[in-house]
């Protein structure tokens, strides 16, 4: 019996387990033995695997409504020499196929692993399954995980805005995930699709250099007008120099950790403008919410997993399953060479950001709205 290994990398999403469901069910149909690397690429390094072929129908089906990842993930850093060890591990355990689900880092790992397998003269096929709430993988329209996270953001920002306008006395700054790309932060623009008071007043994304002077002027102007301000910011805001706007707090190895952008900006509003301010940070809640998982996102995740298995069985390798769209409910799938994706970041295009750099254009709202048609906004009543 041929053996397939599935590996998860990076942060989980609301539909990462749905892709796993697709891999397992497709593997069962093809009579493959499917195993998962426990806690990501670290499981392959340690020879630690989970047999997924003998799971019950109930367990497998439950993956569709389960957040996180049932087999674990990791952000294990790899050096070039590590790939030869990974190939040895794959050969030692008689794996014929490997599929990896993840974002930029994982797709880069997938490419290097595919090259290493070919260089070593093996017949092992390697394929990537896109997964990221940041939606920063190039060559595709959107990635599984993004739509559910975007739905969570617009619903949550809508509800926070309802709270702020109910007691209009302060500035509320909401910090959202997105180190290098503002796709998810921009989703807050859809909190009120008719442009009413539930929409955020200001949105700042990492694609534009952040100016503290402009930010404080923007906040002051809006607060003077209506005594309430809802601001949405990405965690990866940077100065014109390219440096994060918040000083580094500590460093572990090559990883540098910075303070919280939302808290820092709220502190500046209080100190420099004398206005009451607070910060909110949904954080992991927005990445793992099954309550706001969208049907389209789940379906696309399952399909991507299934197509990855179909592709490797057909002899494809060093590719990623890409999701394309023409603003309709239909999604097209196409294999994309991993070499075209590795170590690259897809950022928001200029026409999705307003000229002032403090908001999102209707073009983005139209783009995302066409992909969230199956998830209506919650009803909020305000007579004031």
């Amino acid at each position: 019996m041929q053996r397939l290994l599935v590996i998860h990398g990076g942060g989980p999403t609301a539909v990462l387990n749905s892709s796993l469901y697709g891999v397992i069910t497709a593997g069962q149909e093809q009579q493959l033995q499917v195993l998962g690397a426990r806690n990501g690429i670290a499981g392959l390094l340690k020879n630690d695997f989970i047999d997924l072929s003998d799971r019950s129908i109930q367990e497998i089906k439950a993956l569709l409504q389960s957040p996180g990842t049932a087999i674990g993930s990791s952000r294990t850093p790899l050096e070039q020499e590590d790939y030869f060890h990974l190939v040895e591990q794959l050969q030692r355990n008689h794996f014929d196929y490997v599929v990896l689900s993840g974002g930029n880092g994982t797709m880069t790992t997938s490419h290097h692993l595919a090259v290493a397998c070919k260089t070593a003269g093996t017949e092992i096929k390697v394929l990537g399954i896109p997964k990221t709430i940041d939606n920063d993988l190039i060559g595709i329209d959107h990635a599984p995980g993004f739509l559910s996270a975007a739905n969570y953001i617009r619903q949550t920002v809508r509800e926070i805005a309802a709270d702020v306008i109910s007691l209009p006395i302060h500035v509320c700054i909401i910090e959202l995930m997105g180190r290098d790309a503002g796709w998810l932060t921009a989703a807050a623009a859809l909190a009120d699709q008719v442009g009413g008071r539930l929409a955020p007043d200001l949105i700042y994304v990492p694609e534009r250099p952040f100016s503290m002077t402009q930010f404080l002027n923007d906040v002051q102007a809006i607060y003077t007008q209506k005594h309430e301000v809802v601001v949405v910011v990405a965690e990866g805001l940077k100065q014109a120099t390219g440096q994060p706007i918040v000083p580094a707090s500590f460093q572990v190895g090559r990883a540098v950790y910075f303070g919280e952008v939302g808290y820092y900006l709220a502190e500046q509003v209080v100190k420099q403008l004398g206005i009451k301010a607070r910060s909110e940070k949904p954080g992991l809640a927005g990445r793992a919410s099954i309550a706001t998982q969208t049907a389209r996102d789940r379906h696309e995740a399952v399909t991507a997993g299934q197509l990855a298995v179909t592709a490797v069985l057909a002899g494809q390798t060093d590719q990623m399953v890409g999701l394309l769209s023409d603003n309709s409910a239909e999604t097209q799938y196409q294999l994309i060479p991993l070499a075209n994706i590795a170590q690259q970041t897809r950022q928001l295009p200029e026409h999705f950001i307003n000229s002032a750099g403090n908001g999102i254009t209707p073009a983005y709202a139209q783009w995302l709205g066409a992909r969230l048609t199956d998830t209506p906004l919650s009803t909020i009543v305000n007579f004031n």
Side-chain angles (χ1 to χ4, degrees), residues 329-361:
E330 295 296 323
T331 303
Q332 295 83 43
Y333 302 86
Q334 175 182 308
L335 292 182
I336 302 173
L338 283 168
N340 297 345
I341 300 167
Q343 297 179 323
Q344 298 191 59
T345 299
R346 174 177 177 245
Q347 295 185 312
L348 274 176
E350 283 293 310
H351 71 280
F352 282 165
I353 308 170
N354 70 8
S355 58
N358 61 7
I360 302 302
T361 65

Side-chain angles (χ1 to χ4, degrees), residues 82-378:
D82 293 324
Y83 288 97
F84 298 105
H85 176 58
L86 292 175
V87 173
E88 290 175 352
Q89 289 287 74
L90 292 172
Q91 291 179 301
R92 184 176 298 115
N93 289 280
H94 307 289
F95 284 114
D96 302 282
Y97 312 107
V98 186
V99 294
L100 300 94
S101 296
N104 287 327
T106 303
M107 291 306 106
T108 299
T109 297
S110 302
H111 172 57
H112 291 323
L113 182 58
V115 171
C117 286
K118 183 176 181 179
T119 301
T122 78
E123 294 296 323
I124 300 171
K125 310 302 181 186
V126 180
L127 216 85
I129 302 171
K131 176 277 319 174
T132 173
I133 65 169
D134 292 334
N135 202 39
D136 56 357
L137 284 164
I138 71 166
I140 62 175
D141 180 77
H142 59 277
F146 168 69
L147 293 183
S148 295
N151 186 41
Y152 176 91
I153 293 307
R154 64 171 187 158
Q155 300 282 5
T156 298
V157 170
R158 179 179 176 84
E159 291 164 2
I160 291 175
D163 187 287
V164 172
I165 67 174
S166 298
L167 186 62
I169 60 173
H170 62 265
V171 176
C172 182
I173 300 175
I174 306 168
E175 177 186 340
L176 302 177
M177 290 184 174
R179 290 188 302 272
D180 300 305
W183 293 94
L184 188 60
T185 300
L190 276 74
D192 192 335
Q193 291 174 296
V194 297
R197 294 176 69 190
L198 296 175
D201 300 291
L202 301 164
I203 300 176
Y204 299 92
V205 293
E207 283 82 357
R208 292 287 182 87
F210 182 83
S211 166
M212 183 62 73
T213 299
Q214 178 194 347
F215 165 74
L216 293 173
N217 288 339
D218 289 343
V219 170
Q220 181 67 75
I222 295 171
Y223 187 80
T224 299
Q225 176 186 358
K226 60 179 190 175
H227 304 291
E228 73 194 43
V229 189
V230 176
V231 184
V232 174
V233 300
E235 64 181 349
L237 293 183
K238 298 177 180 63
Q239 306 172 50
T241 61
Q243 292 297 310
I245 68 170
V246 182
S249 55
F250 67 98
Q251 182 171 352
V252 178
R254 292 179 297 178
V256 180
Y257 294 83
F258 297 89
E260 294 189 355
V261 170
Y263 178 83
Y264 175 75
L265 292 178
E267 190 176 42
Q268 299 308 306
V269 170
V270 172
K271 289 181 177 179
Q272 300 193 45
L273 299 181
I275 301 173
K276 181 180 179 181
R278 63 180 297 155
S279 64
E280 301 289 340
K281 186 177 180 179
L284 299 185
R287 196 163 74 184
S289 175
I290 286 297
T292 51
Q293 181 197 75
T294 78
R296 178 171 182 169
D297 203 15
R298 182 175 61 248
H299 173 75
E300 291 174 342
V302 171
T303 303
Q306 293 171 333
L307 290 177
V309 174
T310 300
V312 291
L313 286 174
Q316 296 289 343
T317 191
D318 204 9
Q319 307 278 328
M320 183 189 79
V321 178
L323 281 68
L324 309 177
S325 177
D326 58 359
N327 281 348
S328 71
E330 295 296 323
T331 303
Q332 295 83 43
Y333 302 86
Q334 175 182 308
L335 292 182
I336 302 173
L338 283 168
N340 297 345
I341 300 167
Q343 297 179 323
Q344 298 191 59
T345 299
R346 174 177 177 245
Q347 295 185 312
L348 274 176
E350 283 293 310
H351 71 280
F352 282 165
I353 308 170
N354 70 8
S355 58
N358 61 7
I360 302 302
T361 65
Y364 176 86
Q366 182 180 12
W367 176 85
L368 180 56
R371 289 151 181 78
L372 290 176
T373 54
D374 63 331
T375 51
L377 286 166
S378 57

